[in-house]
Amino acid sequence: PNFDISENLVSNICEAYYKTCQYSREELASYSKAVRSQEGTLQFQNMAPDQLWGLCAEKITEAIQHVVEFAKHSNAFMSFDQHDQIILLKTGCLEVVLVRMARAFNITNQTVLFDEKYTPIETFRSLGCDDLISGMFEMAKSIAELNLTEDQIALFSFAVLITGDRPGLWESNRLNKLQSVVLGSLQEMFHKTHSDPPDILTKLVMNMLNLRNLSRLHSKYFLHFKHHFVNVSLPPLYKELFFVDENQPPQHFA
Ligand code: 4D8
């Protein structure tokens, strides 16, 4: 495929995104009055940590499944060998979920849509990973503050997904080229919506580094906590993605 036909590329990415973004902006806005009550928050705080981990893992896995669908709907992504597709999804899916989290984040009261209600950060305290959770909330806030359009979120999340320097990739060069084309189109779009396009792009690129750190931190906590998970069942896809040295072939992407 010729990535110079970037108009096709862009419209295909946006279409893939609209089909798989779970909630429209309108739906997200209609939830915004549903804020979790103090008692509601307390109920989560009183849950056993492994129970809450299980619940969060379930929600994250649901979101990841939509990211996998997003990738599968993109012609550019599908033009890479399955070997690279799997590496990109394994290493990038949580980062894309965090980009998507920015849409479901309310800057005014610093809450995120979780289990049907806009929910404050304290809700997640018993997980025992405050730095990870606050990092995720800060990331969502900093992306939300950029006021991206849906098309721009689509392109940015795609750029995150096709990061060319993940370990083990066969076609790093072609991925890097594709990523510059996508980021170029993104900057082009900023001319219509933002006063300082290069500045926004710089901020996004810095966010990309931060996303990677958060994804690493999440894996670290997961490995640290996994021996506490004997009483709680985690979604198979979640385990497959974040248990590092399992030699079994992936089964849940299909
Ligand atoms: O569209 O799928 O409905 C967050 C999870 C978002 C984590 C989800 C979550 C999302 C991170 C559940 C737990 C982001 C949407 C809903 C569920 C991403 C927190 C809130 C999706 C966008 C908002 C709305 C806790 C959906 C940060 C992290 C917990 C760990 C155990 C690491």
Side-chain angles (χ1 to χ4, degrees), residues 37-48:
S37 66
Q38 207 125 38
E39 299 110 72
T41 297
L42 226 92
Q43 272 171 17
F44 283 102
Q45 286 179 323
N46 290 334
M47 274 172 90

Side-chain angles (χ1 to χ4, degrees), residues 20-23 28 49 52-64 66 94 96-105 112-116 118-119 124 127 129 132-134 136-137 140 218 221-222 225 229 238:
T20 59
C21 67
Q22 281 164 283
Y23 299 104
L28 289 170
L52 186 56
W53 259 92
L55 184 62
C56 288
E58 227 172 81
K59 304 282 178 197
I60 291 174
T61 303
E62 242 179 77
I64 287 174
H66 286 85
L94 188 71
V96 175
V97 169
L98 294 178
V99 174
R100 289 177 166 213
M101 176 178 173
R103 308 166 68 232
F105 186 80
V112 68
L113 184 60
F114 169 73
D115 198 33
E116 314 258 278
Y118 273 85
T119 302
F124 302 103
L127 289 173
C129 47
L132 173 63
I133 306 300
S134 57
M136 286 174 162
F137 269 67
H218 168 262
Y221 273 113
F222 177 71
F225 279 122
F229 295 143
Y238 185 81

